[in-house]
Amino acid sequence: VNGLPTPPIEGAGRALQGFGARNRDNASIEALVAAGHYALAAEEYRQRARNDRDRVGATMRRAALLAGPLDDPAGAGLELTGLRAGAPLTLDEDLQVGPALVNLHENQLAEPGRALTELSRLAERYAGTRRGVTLSRMLKSRKKVQFGGSPTS
């Protein structure tokens, strides 16, 4: 499916568009996206997400469509929150879903508090790892910007 154009997606949608299983199994759905049939593609991804093996990838792609061309960032947030609240995510899956939620809350839903809460959850979950250190730095920087001062002060 490489080479198929992806929809022009801004903000969280742009961050999300690369996530999800894009393979031959999804070629027909990505063809719908390329043709501009976003709602139909989103529905196909919703159905694909019922399969445990495709759950995360298909939901991430559906959220990208909702946040982007379907102009429903709140719906994308519900999809991602529901994904995280469902069956437990692997650490790698959590590192796809969590940052996507941070980006969505911060850039499209204008909910910086929720973005900070999600970033804090991720930093805590990965405490003691390289990822945790990076996430903690990001959290500290964003808190400084949001609550006053510059991130370098």
Side-chain angles (χ1 to χ4, degrees):
V1 175
N2 290 338
L4 276 181
T6 55
I9 300 174
E10 297 299 321
R14 185 177 307 272
L16 291 170
Q17 79 183 27
F19 289 113
R22 283 208 203 154
N23 53 39
R24 281 173 234 219
D25 293 342
N26 292 339
S28 62
I29 303 173
E30 288 301 314
L32 291 171
V33 172
H37 301 291
Y38 305 123
L40 186 56
E43 178 57 24
E44 290 293 322
Y45 275 121
R46 185 183 67 75
Q47 292 191 25
R48 169 87 26 108
R50 291 180 180 167
N51 178 339
D52 286 342
R53 185 184 64 120
D54 298 327
R55 179 177 67 98
V56 174
T59 303
M60 293 294 291
R61 286 297 297 146
R62 176 173 165 75
L65 291 169
L66 290 169
L70 294 174
D71 196 27
D72 184 10
L78 289 173
E79 290 286 327
L80 295 175
T81 301
L83 179 60
R84 200 181 66 218
L89 298 174
T90 66
L91 294 179
D92 286 339
E93 291 168 342
D94 193 35
L95 281 176
Q96 290 178 22
V97 176
L101 275 167
V102 170
N103 192 352
L104 187 68
H105 287 301
E106 201 167 62
N107 296 314
Q108 287 190 276
L109 297 174
E111 296 175 335
R114 286 186 180 208
L116 288 175
T117 298
E118 181 62 19
L119 194 52
S120 177
R121 183 193 70 79
L122 288 167
E124 185 175 308
R125 182 167 188 196
Y126 294 97
T129 68
R130 281 184 30 215
R131 290 174 176 168
V133 170
T134 301
L135 291 162
S136 291
R137 286 182 184 148
M138 290 171 61
L139 178 63
K140 182 178 178 181
S141 174
R142 287 184 172 149
K143 279 183 176 179
K144 282 184 179 181
V145 169
Q146 180 160 343
F147 297 115
S150 67
T152 57
S153 59

